Amino acid sequence: MLIGVPKEIKNHEYRVGLTPSSVRELVHHGHKVLVESKAGAGIGFDDATYQAAGAGIAASAAEVFGQAEMIVKVKEPQPVECKMLRKGQLLYTYLHLAPDPEQTEGLLKSGCTAIAYETVTSARGGLPLLAPMSEVAGRMSVQVGAHYLEKAQGGAGILLGGVPGVRAANVVVIGGGISGTHAVRMALGMEAVVTVIDKNLDRLRELDEVFGSSLNTIYSTVDAIEQYVVEADLVIGAVLVPGAAAPKLVTRNMIKKMRPGSVVVDIAIDQGGCFETSHATTHADPVYVVDGITHYCVANMPGAVARTSTIALNNATLPFAVALANKGARKALADDPHLLNGLNIHDGQVTYKAVADALKHKYVPAQQALGM
């Protein structure tokens, strides 16, 4: 199979779909890889390194899209990229379609087969291709939250961990999944006062066992969220409904009641965000203020630490990429029900129910769409 890797074009996105190491693995399996020139240059993977791994170098994205049977990316295709996709072509990347009707329409119109990293599952019920970026985003959320609490950045002028004689910041993490857990770990490491809120009691018990009495675990209700958000210096939204739009758990009224200069970081923004006041921002213009509260809602947070993120992501995505290349999309999907869960679009049909429901499209089960 001829596999194409275009340069990412989303604002300040330096990650790349395949590392040179991944290219070498695919070439080892007998496949050809075509990488757009300078696709990985921003994180130290130059064209010569890709060539040494066995890749061909293309002068433009149009050349990559025009020749490749499978496109491997990181972020969702932008409108100009959707127009370059064609019927029968395989797209393997993050999609986050539920809050993005424009991209969905573009993919449907193209006739491509689109597999979303974020809905591929594991035998343990996890989301293995989302997990690495959730880990990065969770850890980053505390880092950026601490930065924007600084007075020079418009914050309240609070040091996350305090100092002897001065209270530490109150950090509230909504959601105890992978990103929330990593946010908790970082916030505790910086000696903040940390509360995690989740609706899964079993998960709260697990977090209590891991972190002990240093972590305050709270069962999620509307009342609990309001009580803890209003008193927080930093709130991190880390909720996820796989493939679906994130629920709006923090209302505008709650935001109004927070102390001016407090910060909210919305990790769930790729799925529409879990704050009523959230809208997607970019690394070039990452924050905005609502009712005196700084909002950080960058839709590709891990792109800020692009080299770490790319390598971590490839560790998870490569086995599926090899299977897709070795077997072809139809057989690979038929052989692996967890990869099949990643199929969101096929030949002009929406094959993931949460996306169909969110965007009011007709839902066609993946097996039916593939003629299984």
Side-chain angles (χ1 to χ4, degrees):
M1 182 179 284
L2 178 54
I3 301 153
V5 183
K7 188 178 190 301
E8 297 292 327
I9 58 174
K10 192 164 185 172
N11 180 274
H12 280 275
E13 181 55 75
Y14 302 104
R15 288 174 291 179
V16 62
L18 293 175
T19 63
S21 176
S22 296
V23 168
R24 184 178 179 187
E25 188 70 17
L26 286 160
V27 170
H28 172 73
H29 282 268
H31 306 292
K32 295 181 180 179
V33 182
L34 186 63
V35 179
E36 183 180 354
S37 182
K38 299 181 180 178
I43 53 174
F45 300 138
D46 60 20
D47 290 352
T49 306
Y50 277 108
Q51 286 175 313
I57 302 298
S60 67
E63 187 178 343
V64 173
F65 278 88
Q67 294 185 35
E69 299 165 79
M70 175 167 66
I71 297 291
V72 180
K73 282 177 43 64
V74 177
K75 290 306 293 177
E76 72 279 358
Q78 303 302 294
V80 66
E81 293 175 312
C82 284
K83 291 177 182 177
M84 289 190 280
L85 290 164
R86 64 179 183 274
K87 184 178 176 65
Q89 194 170 37
L90 178 59
L91 173 66
Y92 181 49
T93 188
Y94 285 118
L95 293 176
H96 299 291
L97 293 176
D100 193 347
E102 181 183 2
Q103 184 202 167
T104 304
E105 291 300 330
L107 294 178
L108 290 170
K109 186 176 180 181
S110 75
C112 76
T113 296
I115 296 173
Y117 292 163
E118 72 273 9
T119 64
V120 173
T121 56
S122 71
R124 298 175 61 186
L127 300 171
L129 308 192
L130 189 61
M133 297 304 94
S134 296
E135 292 165 355
V136 171
R139 293 184 179 217
M140 275 192 65
S141 67
V142 177
Q143 185 173 302
V144 299
H147 177 65
Y148 284 104
L149 277 172
E150 294 172 9
K151 191 64 182 177
Q153 306 303 322
I158 293 174
L159 181 65
L160 214 61
V163 293
V166 183
R167 77 167 182 89
N170 286 322
V171 176
V172 173
V173 180
I174 304 175
I178 292 174
S179 57
T181 299
H182 281 262
V184 165
R185 185 183 299 278
M186 289 292 284
L188 287 173
M190 296 177 76
E191 301 186 355
V193 177
V194 186
T195 297
V196 63
I197 301 175
D198 200 281
K199 65 180 181 179
N200 186 329
L201 278 174
D202 289 335
R203 184 58 186 155
L204 291 176
R205 289 189 184 99
E206 291 170 358
L207 291 169
D208 182 73
E209 289 174 3
V210 171
F211 295 108
S213 60
S214 58
L215 175 64
N216 186 29
T217 56
I218 298 296
Y219 180 73
S220 180
T221 64
V222 172
D223 187 66
I225 290 173
E226 179 167 22
Q227 178 185 342
Y228 284 91
V229 163
V230 167
E231 294 299 318
D233 299 297
L234 169 61
V235 181
I236 295 166
V239 298
L240 173 71
V241 179
K248 304 293 185 184
L249 298 180
V250 177
T251 67
R252 174 72 179 265
N253 189 51
M254 294 178 196
I255 294 290
K256 285 182 180 178
K257 293 179 181 178
M258 293 178 71
R259 286 187 292 272
S262 298
V263 176
V264 297
V265 178
D266 199 340
I267 298 175
I269 195 64
D270 278 319
Q271 294 292 120
C274 59
F275 300 96
E276 194 173 45
T277 47
S278 291
H279 65 76
T281 60
T282 67
H283 289 295
D285 190 13
V287 296
Y288 58 94
V289 177
V290 176
D291 296 324
I293 308 305
T294 298
H295 288 57
Y296 180 98
C297 302
V298 174
N300 58 328
M301 283 179 67
V305 287
R307 188 177 175 98
T308 295
S309 297
T310 295
I311 296 169
L313 180 60
N314 269 240
N315 290 342
T317 59
L318 180 60
F320 293 103
V322 170
L324 288 164
N326 285 351
K327 300 178 179 180
R330 187 177 296 272
K331 181 163 176 44
L333 291 166
D335 287 352
D336 187 344
H338 300 294
L339 181 58
L340 184 64
N341 287 333
L343 186 66
N344 280 215
I345 301 286
H346 176 68
D347 196 18
Q349 303 166 98
V350 178
T351 57
Y352 196 82
K353 192 173 188 305
V355 171
D357 291 347
L359 298 178
K360 296 181 170 52
H361 275 282
K362 179 183 177 182
Y363 166 60
V364 180
Q367 295 93 332
Q368 180 182 331
L370 292 166
M372 293 181 183

